[in-house]
Amino acid sequence: MALQTHTDQMGREVTFNFPPRRVVSLVPSLTEMLCDLGVELVGRTRFCIHPTEQVKKLPSVGGTKDFKVDRIVDLRPDLVIGNKEENYREGIEALEQHVPVWMTDINTISDSLQVWTDFGEITNTTQEAKKIRSSVEQKLASLKSTKTGEVLYLIWYKPWMAAGSQTYIDEFLSHLGYSNVITDSRYPELTLEQMRDLSPEKILLSSEPFPFKAKHQRELELLFPESKVELVDGEAYSWYGSRLLKVGI
């Protein structure tokens, strides 16, 4: 191995042993991507649940927002993979005092596809990355404009929270053909009165980060008789990467 410097998605120059043979991932969707590329992971967060057989053998370093810096450093990684939105800034800044940290910043479908190219380059898996990226692009093409209507995509309960503009979920909803009724903020808290004023044709209840269930669906069906309420797989709508190849919409 030799030291190489690569620019991450936040425009930071990161120098690390190339190709990295010991990698820690701090993002569930990126953990799955790296596993699918055949990258040797030595650590992951407790929320990294796919692919099951591989991740259950890996030590957990905590959560995405409260990972343990000392635990990660003890794993002696060549490289740590993080994300601007999913990880906390103070933890990343503390971590990069000890080990190289390559950050992703994903808000659009284009960003999510670029990660395949970037991961191929920084992990020496370019050919496999091209192959999987092509499959993801084909899946995206098959889903384009397959849905219609004005939609409210809920991600949390008490308080009610929705996915809004300038988020990956928002762009994915638009790609499917939906029109997101939240247009002025990223993840707003909403009252029932505000939700009524938005008059969504459809309300989507995500399985994550809050695990909406049938009882929540029934609750909203009573509160919003004019809206169609559906439970949806949050991984399909928010996990950029290879998860899209393994779930239904």
Side-chain angles (χ1 to χ4, degrees):
M1 291 191 297
L3 289 176
Q4 282 194 11
T5 299
H6 294 258
T7 303
D8 69 12
Q9 290 195 320
M10 291 180 62
R12 303 153 65 253
E13 290 191 343
V14 183
T15 301
F16 53 91
N17 287 324
F18 182 86
R21 292 183 180 148
R22 299 179 60 82
V23 177
V24 172
S25 173
L26 301 178
V27 186
S29 53
L30 301 183
T31 296
E32 183 174 39
M33 291 175 69
L34 291 163
C35 285
D36 288 347
L37 288 172
V39 175
E40 184 67 30
L41 294 183
V42 295
R44 46 88 184 185
T45 75
R46 64 176 176 271
F47 301 116
C48 297
I49 58 175
H50 299 299
T52 306
E53 291 303 312
Q54 288 173 259
V55 298
K56 72 180 183 181
K57 301 173 185 176
L58 299 174
S60 169
V61 298
T64 54
K65 303 292 187 185
D66 60 353
F67 53 81
K68 309 303 180 186
V69 172
D70 57 346
R71 197 176 300 175
I72 296 171
V73 173
D74 286 345
L75 292 171
R76 297 177 291 105
D78 295 314
L79 187 64
V80 175
I81 303 291
N83 178 264
K84 180 181 178 181
E85 180 174 286
E86 293 207 39
N87 302 135
Y88 68 114
R89 180 175 177 177
E90 295 80 7
I92 294 297
E93 290 177 345
L95 188 58
E96 62 187 358
Q97 299 302 311
H98 305 278
V99 295
V101 183
W102 200 92
M103 295 294 290
T104 59
D105 185 13
I106 303 171
N107 298 297
T108 67
I109 289 174
S110 178
D111 291 338
S112 73
L113 293 172
Q114 181 61 38
V115 173
W116 287 111
T117 300
D118 292 341
F119 276 5
E121 292 176 355
I122 67 174
T123 65
N124 200 32
T125 57
T126 300
Q127 292 306 311
E128 186 63 22
K130 285 182 178 179
K131 179 181 175 181
I132 301 177
R133 173 173 174 161
S134 177
S135 295
V136 173
E137 289 174 328
Q138 290 175 34
K139 180 67 176 286
L140 285 166
S142 73
L143 294 171
K144 187 171 178 61
S145 303
T146 55
K147 308 287 186 179
T148 59
E150 296 187 342
V151 67
L152 175 65
Y153 188 98
L154 294 178
I155 60 172
W156 203 256
Y157 181 71
K158 292 186 178 180
W160 298 103
M161 290 181 67
S165 59
Q166 300 179 49
T167 63
Y168 176 82
I169 293 173
D170 178 66
E171 175 150 331
F172 189 71
L173 289 170
S174 179
H175 180 83
L176 292 176
Y178 286 127
S179 176
N180 193 348
V181 296
I182 304 294
T183 60
D184 57 356
S185 55
R186 299 191 78 218
Y187 298 108
E189 292 186 12
L190 301 169
T191 64
L192 289 173
E193 290 72 22
Q194 289 173 320
M195 289 162 63
R196 288 193 182 94
D197 289 342
L198 291 168
S199 300
E201 295 174 57
K202 186 177 289 187
I203 300 175
L204 301 182
L205 302 181
S206 178
S207 61
E208 62 167 49
F210 182 84
F212 283 105
K213 306 295 184 184
K215 64 180 181 179
H216 305 108
Q217 181 182 16
R218 290 192 293 270
E219 177 183 351
L220 284 177
E221 286 173 339
L222 291 173
L223 292 169
F224 297 88
E226 301 301 316
S227 302
K228 184 176 181 180
V229 184
E230 293 183 10
L231 295 169
V232 297
D233 184 348
E235 293 176 2
Y237 285 77
S238 63
W239 281 42
Y240 33 79
S242 43
R243 179 97 310 237
L244 191 60
L245 300 174
K246 305 163 188 175
V247 295
I249 300 295

